[in-house]
Amino acid sequence: MNLFLYTSTVLLWGTTWIAIHFQMGEVPVLVSAFYRFAIAGLLFLPALMLLRGVQKTTLRDHGFFVLQGGCLFSLNFICFYTASQYIVSGLISVVFSAAVLFNALNSRLLWGERAERGVYLAAALGIAGLISLFWDSIAGGNFDRTAALGLGLSVLGTYFFSLGNMVSVRHARRGLKPWTCNAYAMNYGALILLACIVASGTSWKLDTSPLYLGSLLYLAIPGSILGFTAYLSLVGRIGANRAAYATVLFPIVALSFSAWFEGYQWTALSFGGLFLVLLGNTVSLGGLRVIGQWRLRFEREKIPL
C-alpha cells in the first residue's frame, strides 16, 4: 500500500506542473487558485457525506482544518504562483525539494522526533540531483532583487507546505482520516483565497478555453483531491519525513512532460542528476537498511555473493 500511495503521489503531482503552466494567462493567480480549491472542496465534501465517509469532528479539529487549509491549500500556492513570475519553475522545484529538510526540522521542533539517519543523506542526494537537472536554468538566472524575491517566496511556500504536513501528523495521531481532513481543509483554503481576492481587490476573470478549463479540472480532482489524499495518507503511515521525499522525486515526472511539451533537452548532467535523485529515493525508503540486512544474512549463512 505504501508503494502504491508513494507512486500515486509522484505521478499525480508530477503531472500537475504542466497543468499549472496551462493556467498562467489572463486569469489572476489568486482567482485560478480559488477556482481549483473551490471546485475540489465543493465536490469532495458533499461526496463524502453522501457516502457517509465523513468522521465526527470537534470544534478544535476544525481550528486545525483551517490551519491546514491555510498551509496546504492557499498560502503556499500564493507563494509558489507568485514566485513563478520572478524565477523559473525549475528553480522553484529545487527549492520545494527542501520540504524533506523542513519536515525533519519541524518534526524535531514540534513533535520531538529525531530524523532517521538516512533522511538528511537522502535530502542531500535529492537536492544535489535536482540542482544538476536544473543547472542550466540556475546558472543562467539573473539573481537580482526580483530573483531574490522569487527565491524567498519559494522558501516560504515550502515552509508553509511543511507546516501543513505537521498538522496532518496531528490529525493522524487523533485517528482522523486524510479524506475527512482534506475535504474540510480544502473548503477552508478556498475561503482564505476568497478573502485574499476581496482584500486585494483582484478582478474576477474566467478563461473559457478548453485548455484552461481542462487543466483546472485536472488540478482540482486528480491533482488536489486524489493527490493530497494519497500524500497525506502516506504521511500518516510512514511519517512526514519519509513521505516528503516524494516532493524530490515528482519533479522528475514534471521534467519528462517538459521534454514533450516545452522542448527540454536531456544532457549528461541531467542523467547524473536523475541518478542522484533515485539513489536518494532508495536511501529515504530504507534501501540502505535493507541492503545491510541482506549483507548480514549473507555473512551469517555464509552465502557466497
Side-chain angles (χ1 to χ4, degrees), residues 71-147:
C71 292
L72 287 183
F73 305 124
S74 57
L75 299 180
N76 60 328
F77 280 97
I78 292 174
C79 291
F80 290 133
Y81 280 43
T82 306
S84 67
Q85 300 176 10
Y86 302 110
I87 58 176
V88 296
S89 61
L91 182 54
I92 298 174
S93 297
V94 173
V95 177
F96 190 55
S97 66
V100 178
L101 297 177
F102 282 141
N103 275 3
L105 174 63
N106 285 329
S107 292
R108 178 63 173 165
L109 292 176
L110 299 177
W111 299 112
E113 295 180 354
R114 289 184 178 275
E116 293 184 14
R117 187 185 308 175
V119 167
Y120 295 107
L121 175 59
L125 289 169
I127 292 172
L130 283 173
I131 290 174
S132 297
L133 280 166
F134 296 109
W135 180 250
D136 290 339
S137 297
I138 296 171
N142 183 18
F143 285 90
D144 54 13
R145 290 183 178 180
T146 58

Side-chain angles (χ1 to χ4, degrees), residues 118-231:
V119 167
Y120 295 107
L121 175 59
L125 289 169
I127 292 172
L130 283 173
I131 290 174
S132 297
L133 280 166
F134 296 109
W135 180 250
D136 290 339
S137 297
I138 296 171
N142 183 18
F143 285 90
D144 54 13
R145 290 183 178 180
T146 58
L149 176 61
L151 183 60
L153 286 169
S154 299
V155 172
L156 181 60
T158 303
Y159 194 72
F160 276 133
F161 175 82
S162 177
L163 290 178
N165 282 208
M166 298 303 105
V167 177
S168 298
V169 171
R170 180 264 177 191
H171 294 332
R173 291 185 175 187
R174 282 189 51 83
L176 294 173
K177 301 299 183 182
W179 44 86
T180 293
C181 303
N182 286 355
Y184 283 118
M186 285 180 184
N187 281 286
Y188 287 130
L191 290 175
I192 292 171
L193 288 165
L194 179 60
C196 291
I197 291 170
V198 173
S200 63
T202 302
S203 59
W204 290 93
K205 291 185 179 180
L206 177 63
D207 185 347
T208 57
S209 68
L211 185 61
Y212 180 87
L213 295 178
S215 59
L216 176 60
L217 290 175
Y218 184 81
L219 288 169
I221 301 174
S224 297
I225 295 176
L226 301 181
F228 274 97
T229 299
Y231 175 75

